[in-house]
């Protein structure tokens, strides 16, 4: 499958089912229901909870099979042991895409990997696209399509804009979205891929390369699982005239160990990633970051040498990111660090 195919239902769904929907807005299964209603999603919302008649004021359904239509998107907010059956039921119902919040898969070892393979098989056999597992989901800002439990959206949505964010790390991706919003950078799309059972970082880049709402793509990369797909996606972004700002996570041994335990990814060495990125970078160069031992570089089809202003004037590179997002032909460093309490992968 070509990178980016089949993601329209994930990013622009007309209907969303939440499997494991909760009455409590603070729970992982309750937060998407609350956020969708609070921020004004215009599509149809179907809470699925066999123990409830209503969930947060909406009619609840005992299973996805009882929902009156096959939803474009289903959010899986149940524990890992029940996620496989939930995904298979979605596939049987004709759901076009699913987001699996649940953790407890390949990041925990062989038993978890076998459970994750069950998800992959269900998605592959049905043609359904699957984001996750162990991910923070996806958001389309203008459409108010919210398939995440991130606390970044607790008080407000980011302003709609042209910056698309695709990240293998949910915490880093959501922190970056918050940082961009605080600095006045409008966001178009937000995708976190987690364990990348099906949808991967290349899918996100390629889909955003075709997305009219996205003009600049910010990529937080822990590992390159398929160099060919990543190169294809980056080429598509280049050909579309859309800069890609890529931040490589896990450049140290400690960072690589964290990535492996975080999403089950073996963080590729800097040298390998540079071999993939640098031939396409069109004038950008790696920018070393001393504080957090990550590295970022820009892929800009129009720029000459990458712009890199004095660090003491703009330590987060946000001013340069703002100029890129508003159409200026510049590439800047993006700094991201820290997480907010509670913004983590779901407990089983």
């Amino acid at each position: 499958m070509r990178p980016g195919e089949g993601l329209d239902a994930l990013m622009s769904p007309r209907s969303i089912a939440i499997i494991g929907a909760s009455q409590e807005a603070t729970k992982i299964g309750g937060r998407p229901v609350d956020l969708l209603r609070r921020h004004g999603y215009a599509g149809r919302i179907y809470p699925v909870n066999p123990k409830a008649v209503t969930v947060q004021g909406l009619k609840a359904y005992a299973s996805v099979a009882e929902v009156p239509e096959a939803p474009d998107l289903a959010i899986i907010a149940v524990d890992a042991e029940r996620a496989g059956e939930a995904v298979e039921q979605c596939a049987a119902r004709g759901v076009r895409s699913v987001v699996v919040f649940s953790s407890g898969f390949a990041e925990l070892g062989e038993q978890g990997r076998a459970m994750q393979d069950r998800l992959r098989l269900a998605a592959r056999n049905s043609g359904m696209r699957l984001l996750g597992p162990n991910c923070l989901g996806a958001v389309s800002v203008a459409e108010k399509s919210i398939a995440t439990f991130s606390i970044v959206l607790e008080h407000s949505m980011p302003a709609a804009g042209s910056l698309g964010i695709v990240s293998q790390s949910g915490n880093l991706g959501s922190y970056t979205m918050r940082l961009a919003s605080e600095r006045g950078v409008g966001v178009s799309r937000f995708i976190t891929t987690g364990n990348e059972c099906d949808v991967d970082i290349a899918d996100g880049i390629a889909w955003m390369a075709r997305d009219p709402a996205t003009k600049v793509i910010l990529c937080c990369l822990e590992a390159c699982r398929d160099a060919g797909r990543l190169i294809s996606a980056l080429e598509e972004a280049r050909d579309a005239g859309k800069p890609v700002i890529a931040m490589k996570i896990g450049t140290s041994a400690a960072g690589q160990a964290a990535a492996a335990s975080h999403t089950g990814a073996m963080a590729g060495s800097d040298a390998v990633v540079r071999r993939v990125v640098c031939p396409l970078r069109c004038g950008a160069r790696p920018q070393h970051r001393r504080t957090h031992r990550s590295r970022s570089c820009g892929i800009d089809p129009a720029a000459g040498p990458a712009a890199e202003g004095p660090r003491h004037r703009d330590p987060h590179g946000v001013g340069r990111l703002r100029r890129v997002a508003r159409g200026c032909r510049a590439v800047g460093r993006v700094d991201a660090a820290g997480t907010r309490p509670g913004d983590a992968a779901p407990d089983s």
Side-chain angles (χ1 to χ4, degrees):
M1 183 181 293
R2 189 166 68 111
E5 286 188 359
L7 296 195
D8 288 356
L10 172 67
M11 301 309 300
S12 299
R14 294 163 298 179
S15 55
I16 302 175
I18 301 91
I19 298 173
S22 174
Q23 299 282 10
E24 297 184 33
T26 57
K27 290 188 174 181
I28 287 170
R31 192 176 292 275
V33 179
D34 176 61
L35 292 174
L36 286 164
R37 300 189 71 202
R38 183 144 46 98
H39 292 304
Y41 171 66
R44 298 172 293 282
I45 305 170
Y46 299 116
V48 176
N49 185 329
K51 298 180 181 179
V53 176
T54 62
V55 170
Q56 298 184 38
L58 297 174
K59 175 178 171 59
Y61 299 86
S63 70
V64 71
E66 296 185 16
V67 171
E69 63 177 313
D72 282 341
L73 171 64
I75 297 169
I76 309 298
V78 299
D79 58 44
E81 286 71 22
R82 292 183 290 162
E85 182 180 5
V87 168
E88 289 168 350
Q89 289 175 351
C90 287
R93 183 67 178 87
V95 175
R96 296 172 60 197
S97 62
V98 294
V99 174
V100 182
F101 290 161
S102 321
S103 60
F105 292 92
E107 76 276 11
L108 295 185
E110 289 306 313
Q111 182 177 353
R113 189 174 300 279
M115 294 167 63
Q116 184 167 302
D117 287 342
R118 180 182 178 184
L119 306 184
R120 180 184 294 110
L121 187 63
R124 181 176 298 170
N125 288 345
S126 64
M128 178 178 68
R129 298 309 308 265
L130 188 152
L131 184 66
N134 187 29
C135 76
L136 207 54
V139 177
S140 287
V141 175
E143 293 93 334
K144 308 295 176 59
S145 170
I146 301 169
T148 185
F149 58 95
S150 173
I151 62 170
V152 169
L153 305 183
E154 183 66 25
H155 300 294
S156 64
M157 287 283 286
S162 60
L163 175 66
I165 300 170
V166 54
S167 176
Q168 290 173 325
S169 165
N171 280 337
L172 184 54
S174 62
Y175 179 84
T176 303
M177 179 165 64
R178 179 167 71 95
L179 185 64
S181 180
E182 289 174 353
R183 301 300 194 275
V185 178
V187 177
S188 58
R189 316 286 183 178
F190 167 78
I191 303 175
T192 63
T193 57
N195 287 13
E196 298 190 340
C197 171
D198 174 38
V199 175
D200 62 9
I201 201 86
D203 281 308
I205 294 170
W207 190 87
M208 289 182 188
R210 302 167 206 153
D211 175 31
T214 300
K215 305 302 181 186
V216 180
I217 302 167
L218 174 60
C219 171
C220 302
L221 182 68
E222 287 184 341
C224 176
R225 291 180 170 90
D226 189 326
R229 284 175 58 81
L230 181 58
I231 290 171
S232 175
L234 291 171
E235 287 177 337
E236 187 161 357
R238 180 192 62 189
D239 294 343
K242 298 186 179 183
V244 176
I245 302 169
M247 182 169 67
K248 175 64 175 64
I249 307 165
T251 62
S252 67
Q256 292 180 21
S261 63
H262 177 214
T263 62
M266 292 305 295
S269 72
D270 256 6
V272 172
V273 173
R274 282 202 302 271
R275 283 183 178 273
V276 172
V277 172
C278 289
L280 300 170
R281 62 186 180 179
C282 303
R285 63 176 178 268
Q287 298 176 12
H288 297 262
R289 299 174 61 247
R290 298 174 183 172
T291 304
H292 304 295
R293 302 189 68 80
S294 295
R295 194 170 288 173
S296 63
C297 64
I299 301 166
D300 188 339
E308 184 177 23
R311 293 189 181 190
H312 67 279
R313 294 183 183 175
D314 189 7
H316 293 289
V318 174
R320 293 188 294 281
L321 175 57
R322 184 182 292 117
R323 290 194 294 274
V324 174
R326 289 176 180 170
C328 179
R329 293 179 176 182
V331 175
R333 189 175 73 251
V334 180
D335 243 330
T339 56
R340 295 179 63 182
D343 194 12
D347 294 327
S348 295

